[in-house]
Structure formats: structure tokens, C-alpha cells
Amino acid sequence: MLDTAFLVRRQNPGFLLTSLSYAGGLLVGLTVSAMLLVHAGVPASALVDEFLIATFLTSDGLSQTATAALPLVLVGLASAVAMRVRFWNIGVEGQLWLGAIASTWVALNGIGPEALRLPTMFVLAALAGAAWIAISLFLKLRWGVNEVISTLLLGSVAFLLVQHLLFGVWRDPANSFPVTATFPEASWFSILGWGQLHTGIFLVAGIALSIWFVMEHSRAGFYADAVGFNAKAALATGLPVLRTAVGLVLLSGALSGVAGMMIVAGTEHRLNQSVGNGYLFSAIVIAYLARAKPLWVIVVSFALGAVFTAGNVLKVFYSISEAMIVLMQGTVLMSILMAQFFSTYSLKRPN
Amino acid sequence: MRGIGKSFDGKAALRDASFRLEWGEVHAIVGENGAGKSTLMNVAAGVYVADGGYQSIDGEAISLRSPLEAAAAGLGMVHQHFRLVESFTVAENVLLGLGRKSKVKTPADAAAIVAAKSREIGLPVDPHRQVADLSIAERQRAEIVKVMLLGARILVMDEPTAVLTDEEARTLLSFAQRLSRQGHAVVLITHKFREVAAFCDRVTIMRHGETVLDGAPVADVTEADVARLMVGDALTVAGRPLSRPGDVCLRVEGLSAQATAHRQNLNDIGFELHAGEILGIAGVGGNGQEELVACLLGLEKIDAGAIMLDGEDISAARPGKRREAGLRIIPSDRFDSGLIRELSIADNLALTTIPGGSFGGPFLLRRRAMREKAAEAIDAFDIRGATPDRPASLLSGGNAQKVLLARELGQGLKVLIAHSPSRGLDMKATEFVRSAIRRAVEAGAACLLISEDLQEVMSLSHRVAVMNRGGIVGCRQAGDVTPEWIGGLLAGHA
Amino acid sequence: MKERNTKPSASARLFAATAAVLASCAASGAYAFTLEGAPKVAFIYASSAQDGGWNEALEAGRKAVEEQLKVPVAVTENIPEEATKLRAAIDLYVKRGFNIIIGTTYGYSAPMAEAAKAYPNVAFLSASGTENGPNMESFYARTYQGWYLAGIAAGQATKTKKIGILAGFPVGVVNWDINSFALGARSVDPAIETVAVFANSWWDPVKEGQIAQAILDQKADVLATNLSATSALDAAEKAGVPSVGFQLDMSHAAPKTIQTSVVFRWEKYLVPTIKEIIDGSWKPEEFGAFEGLETGVVELAPFGPTVSEETKAKIEAAKQDIIAGKLDPFQGLLKKQDGTVVVDAGGKVDDAALWSMDYFVDGVIGTMPAK
């Protein structure tokens, strides 16, 4: 009987077991997804050809994946650094919108000299994102307001702010459309000549490596782990708990803000109502699958970027509905999470 | 019940305990924390299965393997922490307890029998109210009615007065007396004999898992007898450090703190601690020990008073600052506020010194140095089954405590707060911990030893203080401690 | 996941060129284009094609193209209005030999223009788009002409001399519908007032139902919706009040009370245009295609049971006048809500001014949000 079984945490699961269960979960998820697709009318022979090859083995597919992964790395890191100190940032999209608003303001008004346009956008986007999460942080510290609620709701407020601007001062003057005018080229990341991939990749790489270093090798990262695992013990042993938590939460907001800048300056070159959609879900998925480890965040972001690319292929050529794509993503995610769960716990029966 | 034995993880909680209960009496079981009172009654109520011994009801041998079987045999227990579902009403809780085989099927039926029972035994309970909305005393009454409805003729109550006001306690105890006069039997588990004496017929005293007084009529024992029997030979142990106390190292004056929900207030606590001295604070758990430690450490704010370390008031300083000043702690729960399970042993050992820069500046942590240092500590403290990279969660209790000692007794130690430092440890580990503390004190440190284990306090301390209801109620040189004095203070006789 | 995702398509009803000018722009200003390879057509939607409104109207056009021109037509749904996602879809299609790409929302416009530059031999049609070029044409319809006729129906039906219209956001193409509706009603009786309320959403059936009720509470006895959901019509049917639908024939929602619906017939534009592209005679308009009643891209759905013969005749007459150019809904003398004159008698509002229309005309009760 199942109800007499219980879960036992494995003592120190080895690297091999962890990797195998991860791969196993991925395989199960992909197999189930493939079955769903065949059932939905995609010829089995086409799956490998168009899905795998088009996504991973063509230059177009790879450049699309890389381009899509850039903001994903940033929001994934944003979610991960907050998760390390057990702060649930469910407002990644809100901070992203704020970052997008700040960089749009710089771009449209031509703030600062042209040569410094992108750095200015970067700094202001980071500050705007951090300021937005600071509201939730303040509410939590001052009155104990749960950050899950406050960050989520402030995400909606941020979107209303975007709407207010797009239907107000920033609407296209010629036709009142709720999109901003295209930015002057000084506020674009230059195209690298491989698909839509742009120089933002260097910024993202720099940020990701810095975060990796800070989280894994610096004192702050050490504090973060101690605070995240056991804040009471961290406080009792004299660590600067509050400073660590505040610092990382603000960093989380700043990273989301920069993701907003990455989108408007990298690929869209303007602000509209849809550029920030869906990043919250992605951020949480990435941070969970990567177990909040920065280097894994990069890997998982590219994997998720590939899933989006593959999803696009399926949508375009097999009229697979959006719901099916989401179903597949969910299936893969659930399989991996379950595999992770069983690499951490084993099922035992009494006696 | 005769010759009952019970061990947990190889540690004997009961050895050869016996207990005889008669119909129509209120029977008190008295003893220190950890004397085995609750364990014995949990065996009786089928919560634990005894390792050996003989149990009978009305002369018929029984062997209870679950609370349900005990209930069927007419035995019900009201635990310290009530077994009620807060989001349900009283009637729904009863329905839940009755199970599927009962004739009572609906909340309305259950409400009817709750109301009837409540009238019958004279204990007012509103069956329709949600448990979450009830006061502690009301919950206790609801729990009693529930247990009675499940068929209890023998009612066991574990520390029933601990959560009540004096007035409520009197009401409850006279109810117990009334119930016994109707032919039931009532057992009261308590460490405050004086409070219940007037309402009891007989008393059984336990110490170290054994019955030392088996069911004597209350009229025949004096309070002094009870205190002496409870404390026993604890006072004869000697092993305190050879050092002579030096200058005052830690002075606490008029420390008061308002409790947050469900905690103990601290009232005007004051004491002095000298270098090279161990001051033991004895007391039954839950009388403010946790709160005192939290205040000394800086985890909780104090409302009044001063904490002077080497003449400097540290009562407003962060925990980190207090550590820098030489304050160290062995908490009662190692993994709650001492060690971090998920971190490696090396990380745990380095936890307190990293902020001071002992393993590199703010940017690059010198992991290799941390590992080397950890390897040294593992050798020096003979920490078994440990390597620097293993997570602390894999350590046994004794070895985890050694990690904690290795860290807390390190450089800069001036005042050590040791809270139940040998809790949950075997003999050998206990001895290791105690001798490590002794050595540290001989080397000039001061130690505040807070423990519910009287034997521990007596074996280590130069002076002994007793804590009760959030205050220090007495303090003497170890040599002047008598069983009557300490027993009386422990049981709450100011 | 959020309301904003459900209907970006309807938000799409925009078009218009940066300096939107005359759609009647002479052919001399137009571009020339030659298609390479066999024609293969692809439609890309930002949400579901069966959305009950904007997309569904385009989807009807797509089916007509497939049936009448006998060319392969592919459909992709749910491509968000983001440059990366749309461009990826376009790239995939072009790689597979698709050479006529139809985007269905204004949000696709800029990335489509970039793709058009990258693929000069592929034809791009952008519904409610803003960009045009040698191989790209944006298209929209003069919906205000239809709304003027609907206004006549409403003016004929009202007894309280107060009619209501529920709309999405205050953008040019919505404002001109409201204004034209009010002007059509006033052509029947200059005393009629039009209550206009913005839902500030393109798709929120619950909120729309509440707003509809609020309009009815103000004693309006005709109710029109400028949105894709039928909530307003449901409310009107329940109250027994004459109603007007939009985008598709909405008579199913209010079979008793419906007067008519202002509908798109995109096949009237798409079939001939794609045929021209295939034939090699296509010359994209420099400022986009902007057709109305004269080509039938905008039409009225069949009248409801309560519409009188007299009303039908009046509407038919006005329709013929508009087609013949004798009548323009926005002809002088035209005044704003506050009384300032927009166009003097004898003049009319030109196309550029139409696109940037950010005011209500005299006779509309409602507040235009400040810029």
C-alpha cells in the first residue's frame, strides 16, 4: 500500500545520480511530448528532422535560441539570487517593465551623450528595477507584508504604468497607437551579423560571470547561502543577515530591470505592451531547474530558448496550438522536477 | 503497570517503572523534566509501545499498540499540545475522533452528544465553535470532552495547569476531583506538586525513568519529601573546574523583556558572572531559558536593563558585535541556531570568523584555507565521520556538538553561554562536552550554563541559580545547595 | 495568462502611416514588385484565429483566398507581438518557399518592415500596419463609413434621443468610429446625444457587461459595441434595447434587438490584391490600402427584425451618397465637443487628420483622456 510508504531524504546524492535523474527526467518529458505531438498529427518522421535539426543544428535556429536566451539569462539570475536568500520574487515582470520604461525614457529623450547612451540606459534600467522591488522589500521589513503577494501585485501595477505611458505621453504622435516611436540607433545594441544576435550578449556574459563569481566565490555568496538555509543560525553566528538579504533582493530587481533594457534596446527598439510578457514564468522555471546556481541558469536559459525556438517551428509548420506548446513545456518541466525530487528522496516502506 | 522499560535510540527513558491507579482517585505523577513521567503515560495510552514490562486494567493483562486500542480499553490522554484540528468546530473534531465505525455520522449528531456530555460532566463547551477561536482553557475543555466521548474512564492529563491561569487551574482540578468521585480515575502529570496536592489522593514520584515513590497517600508526604525524592542524589556529583573565579566578566542588571505570543516574559533578571567561573541556571524548561539566551545573544530586543560585557553595555549591539566582544554560544538546538545543516563542516567552522576577514577579503574567499583549518579542528576535537566538505547534516548529534565546540571555544572566547549542552548525547559525548567546557573555564573563560538537567548543573557549576516563570528565584554557592532548597524553587515555591 | 494576452489582435485595429496621407494617392507614387517562385501564402495571427472578432474576420478572408485563388495557404496562431518571435516565424516561412506573408496586427508592422527589407522578393501585407515599401503594403478599412450608417439606424430607433457606444481605447481608429456613429445619428435628428465609454481593454466581457448596464442606466435606448466580445449586445437583448455589433455579424448574440453590425469583408481586399501579386501587376500603395464601402471591405450585416423599411431606405441612400463621394461623414461644418470648429462648411477631414483624431465631435457625451 502506498499510504504506508514514506519518503526518506537521501544522504548526499552523488553527482552521477543527480545527472542521471536529470537526464532521465528530460528524456521522459520529451518522450511524452513526442507522443502528444504525434497524436496531434505531426508525422513521427518529421519530429527529428524539423524539430531537432531545425532547432539545434541550423545556424538560424541557434542564433534565434541565443537571442531569445539573453533576457532569459537575466531574469533567471534575478529569480535565482532572490531565491538564494529565500525571497520569492514573483514580480520579475514588474521590475522588467520598469527597466524597459527607464531605458525607453533615456532613448526617446536622448539623455546624455550618444556614446554613453547605452551605458546610461543600463544604469537607469538597473536602478528602476531595484527601486521597484525595494517597495516590496520595504513593505516586508516594515510590516511583514508577504513578498509573494506584493511583488506579484506590483507587477500588475507596473504594467498599468506602461499602459498609461503608451496610451498617454509615449503614444505614437502620428496615429495615437500605443507603441513608442522607434528608438534612435544610438540606443540599439549593434547586430553581430548572425541572425538577430546583438552585442548585448557581451553584457549578459559579463553580468552572468560576475554573478557566478560573487555567488560561488565571494563572501557575499557565502553569506547568502547561510542566510538562505538558516537565517536564525546566520544571525546567531553574527553574519550581516539584513545587509545580505537586502543587497541580493535589490540585485534581483536590478537584473530584471536590465532584462527589460536588453529587450527594448536589443531586439524591439521600442516599447509596446507585449515585450515583457511571459518572463515571470520563465524566470521561475529557470531558477528552479538551475537550483539557483548561476552557471546552471545560463545552461537552462539556453535550453528554454531552444524550447521556444522549437515551439515556433511547431506552431509555424504544423499549426500546433499555443496550448499544446505550453503543455509540452509543462510536461518536460514536471518530469525534470519529479526526477530531481526522487534524486533527493527515496521511497521507503516501514520495516 | 510494572517493570516498564522504554528506550529511544539506545537511551533509556524508562527503566523498571511501575504505576498503580485505583478507580475513584486523582493520582499525581511528579518528577523533574526528563524523569519519564510523560513517557510512562504515553506507554499507558498506547502512543509508545513498551520494550518490556507488564500492564493490566482491572487485573486483565493488556498490550496496547495504538491510542485507538487504548481508547477502546477506556484510557484517554489529554496531551500538552492538544490534538484538535483548528479549522474544525468542536463537534467536527469529535466526529473525526470517533472514526467510521461509530454510529454518529453527522456534525449535528456529534454536536448533540458533545452538548450532552458537557452537561453530564459539568464542563461547559460550545460544540459549534471553531477550535481556532477558542481560548486555551476552552480548548482544553473541548479536548477533555472529546477524550471522554471516545470512551475514556481513565483520564490522563499531561501538565494540564501549565497553560492555565491560577483561577482556571483551580476550576480544572476541582473538575478532576469531581470526576474521580463519579468513579473515574484521573492521572495528573506535573512537576508542580504543590499546586495539585490539595486535589490529589495519592502521588507517585519518578526520577531518571524509575519510580522512587509508588503511590503514597498525599497526606503522608511532605513537600520536603517530594523535593528530596525528585532531586535525589544529583547534588552529590562533583567535577567542577579547579579554577578560582576572577573578576566580573558579564553583568546582567534588571533585564526585562516582553514576550511575543506564547512565550515567557522575562522579569528583572540580574546576575554576575566571573572569569573562570561556571554559573549554572537550573529550572524546568519553558520558564524563560530560551528567551534569556535570545536576549543575551541579541536575537531578541530587551525592554529594560543592561548587559555589561567587560564593563561595556552590549545590550543594543548586533549579534555580530557581541561575538567580537567575546560572547559565544552553544544553543540548545544545534541545528536551529548553531550549525547550518546544508553547509559543509568547513563552512560551518568558518561561519563566525569570515566576517572578520580571517579567510580572505570581501571578494575572494580562501576556500582552501577554510578546508585546512577544518581538517585541523576535526583532528583536534576527534570529530568522527567528518571531512571538511561533508554537509553538517550528516553528522551525529555528538559529532555535530563537537563541531560547535570547536568553533565556539576558539580564539577570543570570554563568555560562553551553554544551553543544555549535552541534550540528546550519549554518555561518552556528554563527558567530552563537559570536559571541554571545564577546560575552557580553567583557561579563564566564564560560562553561563543553562540546563534543565539538574545533575549537569550540579556537576559543573560553582554557583547555582534557579529560574522560574521568567525570573531568577534564587542563587547559592554550589556547596550550599540543599535538596529542599532547590526542589522547592524548581517546583515553584518562591 | 493575463487579460492583455487574450486579445492583442483586436488591439490591432490600427494602421496608418507616419504621415498617413491619402489612400487615393496616385499610382505614380506606388512601388512595383515581382514575385519569385510559385505563390505560397502564410497568415500569422497574434492570438487564436477564432477569436469571435478581428482575427475571425481576417480568417474569413483567408478562406476566400484559399478557395478562390487555389493557392497553398498556411496559418500560424499565437505569435506574440515581439520582434524576435515574429521574425523567427517569418524566417521559417521564407526558408520553406512562402512568398506572400500576411501579418494581422499593428504590432507586427515594424518587424515586418525589417523582414521586407531582408527579403525583397517576398510580398508582405500588414493588416492595420503602419509601414509600407516596395514589397510591403499595410491595409485597413474606412470603418467610420459603416459606423455612420449604423448611426442612422440608431438615430431612427431611439426615442429618448440618447444612444450609447462602448469602445476599447482612445486611439484614432476607435475615435473615428464613435464620432461617425454620433454624426450618423445626428443626421436623423440633431438633438440626439451619444454616450461613449472606453473600457480601457480590448477584451474583458465582464467589465464590458457592467459598462453596458451603466450606459443603459443613463437612459440610452440604443447600445452599440466597438469591441469583439458580445457582452454589450447581451445586455441590450436582456433590456430589450436596439443594438449594433462590430467586426462580424453579431446577430446571434441579440437576435431580437440587433439593428445591424458593421463588418469587415477582408476578402474584398485580399483576393484581388493577392491575385495582383501573383499576376505580377501588384503595385503597393505608398501610404497603404485604405478602402471602404465602395469596395465592400466595410459593410453592414443584414438588418435585424425590428428595422423599419424607412430606415433601410435612408441607410441605402446614404450609402450610395458616400460611395459616390457626395457625402463624407466628416464633412464641414464639423465641431468638436467644446464647440471649436474642426472643418468649415464645404471642407472635410483629410486622411492624415483622421488617423490622429484625438477628440470627440459635438454631440458625444464622454471624456477623452488627456494626452
Side-chain angles (χ1 to χ4, degrees):
Chain A
M1 289 273 290
L2 199 64
D3 59 0
T4 57
F6 50 93
L7 292 164
V8 179
R9 204 183 168 87
R10 284 186 207 272
Q11 305 272 302
N12 220 11
F15 176 75
L16 189 66
L17 177 67
T18 314
S19 320
L20 277 180
S21 62
Y22 205 98
L26 187 67
L27 199 67
V28 169
L30 289 177
T31 311
V32 174
S33 302
M35 283 159 60
L36 286 170
L37 285 174
V38 171
H39 181 73
V42 180
S45 60
L47 277 179
V48 175
D49 247 24
E50 320 234 11
F51 181 79
L52 233 58
I53 293 177
T55 306
F56 294 102
L57 299 175
T58 64
S59 167
D60 274 358
L62 283 175
S63 80
Q64 274 169 30
T65 299
T67 312
L70 295 184
L72 290 177
V73 170
L74 293 173
V75 293
L77 287 171
S79 189
V81 296
M83 207 177 268
R84 285 283 269 266
V85 287
R86 298 294 185 274
F87 184 97
W88 307 110
N89 181 2
I90 311 297
V92 167
E93 270 180 38
Q95 297 131 30
L96 184 149
W97 282 122
L98 261 286
I101 289 174
S103 30
T104 300
W105 178 73
V106 173
L108 291 180
N109 295 302
I111 306 297
E114 278 203 1
L116 290 177
R117 191 64 47 78
L118 280 170
T120 313
M121 288 167 76
F122 168 74
V123 170
L124 280 184
L127 288 178
W132 202 244
I133 204 171
I135 301 173
S136 299
L137 187 62
F138 175 76
L139 290 174
K140 184 183 173 86
L141 293 176
R142 187 73 182 73
W143 290 293
V145 177
N146 187 330
E147 76 273 15
V148 172
I149 308 291
S150 66
T151 53
L152 181 67
L153 293 184
L154 279 171
S156 301
V157 173
F159 180 68
L160 290 174
L161 199 59
V162 169
Q163 280 202 325
H164 176 76
L165 290 166
L166 287 178
F167 283 98
V169 286
W170 282 349
R171 66 181 164 189
D172 199 319
N175 47 39
S176 307
F177 295 170
V179 290
T180 66
T182 303
F183 296 168
E185 292 208 17
S187 6
W188 296 15
F189 282 114
S190 330
I191 294 289
L192 288 172
W194 186 40
Q196 288 179 290
L197 196 63
H198 50 83
T199 46
I201 191 171
F202 300 117
L203 180 61
V204 170
I207 290 174
L209 290 175
S210 314
I211 302 258
W212 164 74
F213 183 83
V214 167
M215 295 310 289
E216 304 300 325
H217 293 286
S218 85
R219 207 190 266 183
F222 183 83
Y223 291 169
D225 283 340
V227 170
F229 289 133
N230 186 343
K232 190 174 171 194
L235 190 64
T237 46
L239 301 189
V241 173
L242 188 67
R243 235 188 316 149
T244 306
V246 167
L248 285 178
V249 169
L250 292 181
L251 176 63
S252 171
L255 285 167
S256 306
V258 174
M261 180 246 182
M262 191 57 56
I263 295 166
V264 294
T267 49
E268 300 295 327
H269 306 142
R270 64 188 179 142
L271 181 62
N272 69 20
Q273 289 179 78
S274 60
V275 296
N277 289 340
Y279 282 99
L280 169 61
F281 178 68
S282 304
I284 295 172
V285 167
I286 292 168
Y288 256 100
L289 289 182
R291 297 182 162 184
K293 296 282 182 198
L295 286 185
W296 279 105
V297 165
I298 301 176
V299 175
V300 177
S301 298
F302 275 86
L304 199 64
V307 171
F308 287 147
T309 307
N312 231 333
V313 176
L314 290 168
K315 274 200 246 185
V316 170
F317 291 127
Y318 297 100
S319 301
I320 295 298
S321 70
E322 176 75 7
M324 184 67 96
I325 310 279
V326 175
L327 181 66
M328 281 170 48
Q329 287 168 4
T331 308
V332 172
L333 175 64
M334 284 302 295
S335 316
I336 293 177
L337 284 179
M338 276 194 292
Q340 280 193 353
F341 181 80
F342 283 109
S343 75
T344 318
Y345 294 92
S346 60
L347 202 60
K348 287 252 166 67
R349 286 182 197 171
N351 307 322
Chain B
M1 300 175 81
R2 267 185 290 151
I4 304 294
K6 176 72 188 173
S7 298
F8 297 104
D9 298 333
K11 243 193 125 194
L14 287 179
R15 31 179 178 253
D16 195 24
S18 55
F19 180 64
R20 233 177 72 87
L21 182 66
E22 288 168 10
W23 294 114
E25 72 166 346
V26 178
H27 195 132
I29 301 185
V30 184
E32 268 194 274
N33 267 45
K37 317 177 293 265
S38 297
T39 312
L40 182 65
M41 282 303 110
N42 275 317
V43 169
V47 176
Y48 299 146
V49 178
D51 299 339
Y54 171 80
Q55 298 178 58
S56 68
I57 291 184
D58 285 339
E60 215 170 290
I62 49 164
S63 143
L64 303 172
R65 281 186 311 266
S66 77
L68 282 176
E69 290 183 18
L75 203 148
M77 185 155 174
V78 175
H79 294 269
Q80 255 177 304
H81 304 284
F82 307 135
R83 308 289 208 260
L84 294 170
V85 181
E86 295 209 350
S87 53
F88 283 2
T89 65
V90 175
E92 284 163 347
N93 267 290
V94 169
L95 193 62
L96 198 64
L98 286 169
R100 262 176 295 182
K101 284 178 194 144
S102 162
K103 283 188 208 111
V104 179
K105 297 285 185 206
T106 67
D109 293 348
I113 61 166
V114 168
K117 194 64 166 182
S118 158
R119 267 195 309 278
E120 180 195 329
I121 61 177
L123 212 56
V125 170
D126 181 348
H128 299 292
R129 281 181 65 194
Q130 206 177 316
V131 172
D133 298 337
L134 300 179
S135 74
I136 296 288
E138 286 171 319
R139 286 183 202 203
Q140 191 178 49
R141 293 206 296 268
E143 179 85 348
I144 292 171
V145 168
K146 183 183 102 180
V147 167
M148 301 287 295
L149 275 172
L150 300 187
R153 290 175 300 140
I154 302 171
L155 183 65
V156 181
M157 294 196 271
D158 195 355
E159 299 285 1
T161 57
V163 292
L164 302 179
T165 65
D166 293 349
E167 181 58 34
E168 288 169 342
R170 263 196 301 283
T171 315
L172 179 76
L173 291 169
S174 50
F175 158 76
Q177 213 169 23
R178 219 165 49 238
L179 201 63
S180 69
R181 299 301 170 255
Q182 293 170 3
H184 291 79
V186 179
V187 180
L188 299 175
I189 303 173
T190 182
H191 56 258
K192 294 181 179 172
F193 177 61
R194 182 187 171 131
E195 267 184 34
V196 301
F199 299 89
C200 293
D201 302 299
R202 291 194 303 148
V203 56
T204 290
I205 300 179
M206 295 190 67
R207 187 174 72 227
H208 298 322
E210 288 172 55
T211 305
V212 293
L213 180 71
D214 195 352
V218 169
D220 297 351
V221 289
T222 64
E223 274 173 29
D225 293 337
V226 174
R228 188 169 36 76
L229 285 166
M230 269 171 69
V231 173
D233 54 0
L235 304 187
T236 61
V237 185
R240 60 189 66 99
L242 303 169
S243 65
R244 298 178 60 131
D247 296 338
V248 173
C249 200
L250 178 75
R251 172 185 290 134
V252 173
E253 292 165 8
L255 188 153
S256 296
Q258 197 67 36
T260 45
H262 302 298
R263 306 197 66 177
Q264 178 67 49
N265 283 327
L266 294 180
N267 311 316
D268 194 23
I269 289 180
F271 58 83
E272 280 183 352
L273 181 61
H274 300 257
E277 180 197 40
I278 298 179
L279 169 61
I281 296 192
V284 174
N287 273 299
Q289 290 95 330
E290 288 287 344
E291 291 78 3
L292 176 61
V293 170
C295 286
L296 291 177
L297 208 56
L299 298 179
E300 302 258 350
K301 282 206 178 79
I302 63 171
D303 297 325
I307 304 168
M308 316 287 287
L309 186 75
D310 269 350
E312 229 174 290
D313 189 357
I314 56 165
S315 57
R318 286 196 299 110
K321 290 280 170 217
R322 299 185 194 204
R323 270 191 179 274
E324 279 171 33
L327 194 71
R328 299 284 188 274
I329 167 83
I330 297 173
S332 59
D333 184 340
R334 289 178 279 279
F335 286 111
D336 180 57
S337 52
L339 300 175
I340 295 176
R341 256 177 233 283
E342 295 85 347
L343 292 184
S344 72
I345 291 166
D347 287 354
N348 269 295
L349 283 167
L351 211 50
T352 55
T353 47
I354 283 179
S358 55
F359 295 101
F363 295 111
L364 189 59
L365 265 190
R366 287 164 51 217
R367 296 265 177 191
R368 184 181 297 179
M370 283 164 64
R371 265 185 226 113
E372 283 164 4
K373 188 97 178 171
E376 283 170 27
I378 288 170
D379 270 354
F381 280 77
D382 188 25
I383 304 170
R384 304 279 167 82
T387 64
D389 290 325
R390 295 194 88 184
S393 57
L394 298 182
L395 292 170
S396 70
N399 286 311
Q401 198 72 334
K402 284 178 180 175
V403 171
L404 207 53
L405 286 171
R407 188 178 79 196
E408 299 297 311
L409 301 183
Q411 249 178 352
L413 165 69
K414 275 188 189 148
V415 174
L416 176 71
I417 300 169
H419 189 185
S420 298
S422 60
R423 176 183 284 179
L425 302 184
D426 60 25
M427 288 282 286
K428 206 169 154 212
T430 301
E431 196 36 55
F432 186 96
V433 168
R434 290 183 185 170
S435 62
I437 293 176
R438 247 179 248 129
R439 272 199 309 276
V441 172
E442 274 163 19
C447 174
L448 185 69
L449 172 70
I450 301 172
S451 178
E452 292 158 29
D453 181 348
L454 194 53
Q455 201 169 4
E456 179 164 72
V457 171
M458 290 311 301
S459 68
L460 287 173
S461 312
H462 295 90
R463 282 186 300 143
V464 175
V466 178
M467 201 165 179
N468 203 335
R469 297 220 167 191
I472 301 270
V473 290
C475 183
R476 277 186 186 184
Q477 290 295 323
D480 302 336
V481 173
T482 63
E484 287 77 13
W485 177 75
I486 201 164
L489 291 177
L490 284 177
H493 316 160
Chain C
M1 56 188 264
K2 290 178 195 148
E3 61 170 325
R4 59 181 186 260
N5 270 351
T6 54
K7 288 276 145 155
S9 60
S11 60
R13 297 152 341 101
L14 301 174
F15 153 81
T18 25
V21 185
L22 308 164
S24 55
C25 172
S28 62
Y31 307 102
F33 169 79
T34 343
L35 190 69
E36 262 184 19
K40 280 171 98 177
V41 184
F43 277 70
I44 303 176
Y45 294 101
S47 62
S48 165
Q50 300 298 327
D51 67 344
W54 170 258
N55 283 358
E56 212 164 314
L58 279 159
E59 184 66 2
R62 180 192 71 79
K63 284 179 187 143
V65 169
E66 201 166 19
E67 280 159 23
Q68 295 173 28
L69 299 179
K70 307 272 184 283
V71 286
V73 181
V75 182
T76 295
E77 298 168 84
N78 296 303
I79 299 292
E81 294 170 65
E82 289 167 53
T84 39
K85 309 252 164 76
L86 176 68
R87 184 56 189 273
I90 291 175
D91 286 350
L92 284 168
Y93 271 128
V94 173
K95 287 266 149 65
R96 297 291 171 100
F98 284 83
N99 47 17
I100 302 170
I101 311 273
I102 291 109
T104 58
T105 156
Y106 73 87
Y108 287 169
S109 194
M112 273 179 88
E114 279 184 37
K117 283 194 197 102
Y119 303 117
N121 295 314
V122 174
F124 291 88
L125 300 178
S126 175
S128 67
T130 55
E131 308 270 345
N132 296 282
N135 57 338
M136 174 162 175
E137 182 173 81
S138 289
F139 62 96
Y140 196 64
R142 297 179 187 272
T143 51
Y144 63 89
Q145 294 179 342
W147 277 102
Y148 186 83
L149 302 183
I152 296 174
Q156 289 282 111
T158 183
K159 295 190 181 62
T160 60
K161 303 295 171 206
K162 206 181 221 183
I163 60 177
I165 180 166
L166 173 63
F169 285 98
V171 294
V173 296
V174 170
N175 296 338
W176 76 40
D177 285 350
I178 295 170
N179 287 336
S180 185
F181 182 61
L183 292 168
R186 284 216 156 183
S187 75
V188 176
D189 180 347
I192 294 174
E193 291 183 306
T194 304
V195 178
V197 181
F198 292 111
N200 283 317
S201 142
W202 296 117
W203 178 261
D204 190 342
V206 175
K207 189 164 141 198
E208 289 169 28
Q210 289 163 350
I211 295 173
Q213 196 53 51
I215 295 175
L216 290 176
D217 291 346
Q218 291 181 46
K219 301 263 180 319
D221 65 350
V222 179
L223 192 56
T225 185
N226 196 251
L227 289 161
S228 295
T230 57
S231 313
L233 300 197
D234 298 337
E237 183 82 351
K238 219 169 123 194
V241 160
S243 56
V244 176
F246 186 41
Q247 298 185 359
L248 293 171
D249 185 352
M250 289 185 171
S251 56
H252 59 91
K256 293 201 198 84
T257 61
I258 192 109
Q259 303 296 295
T260 183
S261 301
V262 178
V263 299
F264 292 106
R265 299 294 300 274
W266 290 118
E267 59 273 25
K268 298 273 172 63
Y269 164 76
L270 288 172
V271 173
T273 306
I274 292 174
K275 194 164 187 309
E276 280 173 23
I277 293 173
I278 296 168
D279 295 346
S281 59
W282 184 47
K283 290 188 170 58
E285 298 285 353
E286 195 175 351
F287 298 104
F290 191 26
E291 297 168 1
L293 291 173
E294 77 283 1
T295 57
V297 167
V298 173
E299 252 184 27
L300 288 191
F303 293 109
T306 58
V307 181
S308 70
E309 290 306 318
E310 180 206 345
T311 304
K312 288 178 188 167
K314 269 197 176 171
I315 290 173
E316 186 55 32
K319 182 179 170 184
Q320 293 313 325
D321 284 351
I322 290 173
I323 292 173
K326 282 190 276 181
L327 171 68
D328 188 297
F330 296 113
Q331 67 193 14
L333 173 73
L334 187 66
K335 281 190 200 160
K336 290 188 188 175
Q337 232 177 353
D338 61 7
T340 48
V341 174
V342 185
V343 194
D344 286 319
K348 62 172 201 166
V349 176
D350 64 25
D351 283 359
L354 267 180
W355 289 108
S356 57
M357 186 175 275
D358 59 356
Y359 52 85
F360 284 140
V361 297
D362 188 27
V364 177
I365 304 173
T367 318
M368 183 65 70
K371 253 194 185 176

